[in-house]
Amino acid sequence: MESETPLLDELEKGRWPSFVKEIKRAAKKNKAALDLLRVEELSYKDKITHWKHGGIVGVTGYGGGVIGRYCDKPEEYPEVAAFHTFRVNHPAGWFYKTEALRKICDIWEKYGSGMTNFHGSTGDIILLGAKTENLQPCFNELTEAGFDLGGSGSGLRTISGCVGPARCEWATIDTLDITYDLTMEFQDEIHRPRWPYKFKIKISGCPNDCVAAIARADFTIIGTWRDSIRIDQEAVREYVKNGFDIETVVRKCPTEAISWDEKNKVLNFVPEDCTRCMHCINKMPKAIRPGTEGGATILVGGKAPILKGAYLSWVIVPFMKMEPPYSEVKSLLRKIWDWWDEHGRTRERLAELIERLSFARFLKDMGLPVQPQMVFRPRSNPYVFFRR
């Protein structure tokens, strides 16, 4: 029997798992998934999208969390005439019990297409494809199961952070608690979009930045330490004795803060030159550890390309203590939002506004002192590829 989707079928032949294969599996149980395949095939054939994407479809009391999506050929594909997307607020660190996952899947098979995306670029649980009449009952059951909607539209997107101290020994801040606390604090900002554009907060527990917060968030919190790294010289000597090339650490220290004394077998370190890049710690985890006075570096301005290209975040506070109730960071956030709301143009991200009005103006209006760590856009494009 001839396939209805010959163009999409080509995507299944590559090396990597294909979304086509997964949608085909869903189509065996759900007519909407089958119509979705047909619409996608038509889009490939016509080389234009047949989706009207964007806008917010609200549920009672919420202005965000459900993204409206409509097909421009509803008569031909009635099962996907409306194919709205739910953004469900994920738990901090993305930890689930199996019971919770089963609840979500049961609800989604009842009201939606059955297709999911764990997790979307914002971090949410993404439920793809619900009819308009199913939005409210689906939301009601998700709420009864203990889940809330995440952010969408021109408001605060769902806050996300790495697993932090739950599974990582390098975390210098409690990313899970910060994520939960900020999420509870800023419910209005998440559920009722009212800003010039979207705003993202991401939190990494250490400078390894496993959630890539520096490239993906308008407001970035990255765990660091104020004091010096801890060096176990005996463990360093053990590394060297076992054939470890200590020069791979020394040569790649970006500020030459580390040097190896071959004669005395000592790893020398200049604390004031350290930029806390974590390279030496990652290479010699048994010998070098972060300092004990934990806190965070605060950055702003990361974004993917929409209007003016991709930006990496830049530092605005080199070190901030991060202890409950996190009053300092909340106060700074509110100040930034007021400034952005006052001066930002429609669909202008924070980084673009700072670029338009100047970084100096931003720092002055925020009352932040200029410091050496504030390198304005140390690299403007995060899409850097290394070749051998």
Side-chain angles (χ1 to χ4, degrees):
M1 182 178 175
E2 188 175 347
S3 170
E4 288 185 78
T5 57
L7 296 175
L8 285 179
D9 294 348
E10 292 297 312
L11 299 178
E12 293 184 281
K13 298 176 183 178
R15 294 175 57 193
W16 312 108
S18 169
F19 69 93
V20 176
K21 179 181 178 182
E22 299 305 319
I23 298 177
K24 284 182 176 178
R25 287 178 59 188
K28 293 178 181 177
K29 295 195 296 183
N30 192 293
K31 293 180 180 177
L34 183 58
D35 263 4
L36 176 64
L37 281 172
R38 291 166 174 161
V39 172
E40 293 301 301
E41 178 73 14
L42 184 64
S43 293
Y44 274 60
K45 182 180 178 183
D46 294 347
K47 298 182 180 179
I48 61 169
T49 180
H50 287 285
W51 294 108
K52 297 175 181 176
H53 173 60
I56 294 173
V57 184
V59 293
T60 303
Y62 284 57
V66 184
I67 303 166
R69 185 179 284 260
Y70 302 90
C71 178
D72 67 357
K73 294 184 177 298
E75 297 81 11
E76 296 177 43
Y77 308 102
E79 296 296 328
V80 294
F83 203 70
H84 308 309
T85 297
F86 273 93
R87 279 187 177 161
V88 181
N89 199 324
H90 58 266
W94 299 285
F95 287 103
Y96 300 93
K97 290 183 178 178
T98 306
E99 180 186 10
L101 291 173
R102 289 189 188 283
K103 278 184 181 177
I104 294 174
C105 291
D106 288 344
I107 294 169
W108 192 233
E109 284 199 341
K110 184 177 178 182
Y111 293 108
S113 70
M115 289 185 288
T116 66
N117 175 7
F118 281 71
H119 297 86
S121 59
T122 304
D124 299 287
I125 305 163
I126 303 295
L127 305 180
L128 295 157
K131 295 182 178 179
T132 304
E133 61 268 27
N134 287 344
L135 294 180
Q136 191 65 49
C138 183
F139 167 72
N140 293 344
E141 287 206 23
L142 285 169
T143 305
E144 290 171 7
F147 288 92
D148 197 2
L149 295 186
S152 68
S154 294
L156 177 60
R157 298 299 173 83
T158 310
I159 300 161
S160 63
C162 70
V163 295
R167 296 193 64 185
C168 179
E169 61 186 315
W170 302 135
T172 65
I173 53 175
D174 190 341
T175 55
L176 305 175
D177 188 59
I178 298 168
T179 299
Y180 179 79
D181 191 289
L182 296 185
T183 300
M184 294 297 103
E185 179 81 12
F186 299 123
Q187 287 288 294
D188 268 0
E189 286 77 5
I190 292 173
H191 292 145
R192 296 166 187 85
R194 57 194 175 195
W195 289 336
Y197 201 18
K198 59 189 172 184
F199 193 93
K200 298 180 180 180
I201 300 174
K202 297 191 187 299
I203 307 156
S204 286
C206 79
N208 281 327
D209 192 16
C210 289
V211 296
I214 194 170
R216 301 171 61 211
D218 301 272
F219 190 88
T220 298
I221 302 171
I222 296 182
T224 185
W225 56 94
R226 180 145 56 185
D227 52 348
S228 172
I229 58 173
R230 291 169 285 168
I231 301 175
D232 181 340
Q233 296 290 352
E234 191 56 44
V236 172
R237 285 189 279 272
E238 190 67 21
Y239 267 100
V240 176
K241 180 182 175 183
N242 291 330
F244 178 76
D245 182 6
I246 191 72
E247 289 301 321
T248 60
V249 172
V250 173
R251 284 197 308 271
K252 293 188 177 180
C253 178
T255 55
E256 300 181 352
I258 285 178
S259 60
W260 173 241
D261 184 340
E262 177 64 28
K263 181 180 177 182
N264 298 308
K265 306 294 183 187
V266 172
L267 189 66
N268 296 315
F269 176 63
V270 183
E272 55 269 30
D273 289 344
C274 177
T275 58
R276 293 152 179 78
C277 72
M278 292 280 290
H279 179 261
C280 60
I281 295 174
N282 293 331
K283 296 294 288 186
M284 307 173 71
K286 293 180 180 178
I288 308 178
R289 300 179 62 79
T292 57
E293 192 177 353
T297 295
I298 309 297
L299 307 91
V300 296
K303 66 183 265 311
I306 294 291
L307 298 181
K308 291 188 176 181
Y311 289 179
L312 284 174
S313 303
W314 56 91
V315 173
I316 59 169
V317 181
F319 185 85
M320 179 186 289
K321 293 292 286 184
M322 293 295 293
E323 296 173 344
Y326 311 110
S327 301
E328 191 175 0
V329 73
K330 290 174 184 175
S331 175
L332 179 59
L333 269 168
R334 289 194 172 95
K335 205 168 184 178
I336 290 172
W337 288 336
D338 285 346
W339 187 80
W340 179 46
D341 218 13
E342 177 72 18
H343 302 289
R345 296 169 176 166
T346 302
R347 294 181 67 82
E348 185 175 49
R349 295 286 287 271
L350 177 64
E352 293 158 354
L353 172 61
I354 293 175
E355 185 178 55
R356 180 163 61 84
L357 296 187
S358 85
F359 192 36
R361 164 80 181 275
F362 172 76
L363 292 176
K364 181 182 178 184
D365 289 352
M366 291 301 107
L368 295 171
V370 176
Q371 302 194 45
Q373 293 91 340
M374 294 175 178
V375 179
F376 184 50
R377 278 202 273 153
R379 196 176 70 213
S380 61
N381 192 339
Y383 298 102
V384 174
F385 300 93
F386 295 93
R387 295 181 178 177
R388 293 181 183 277

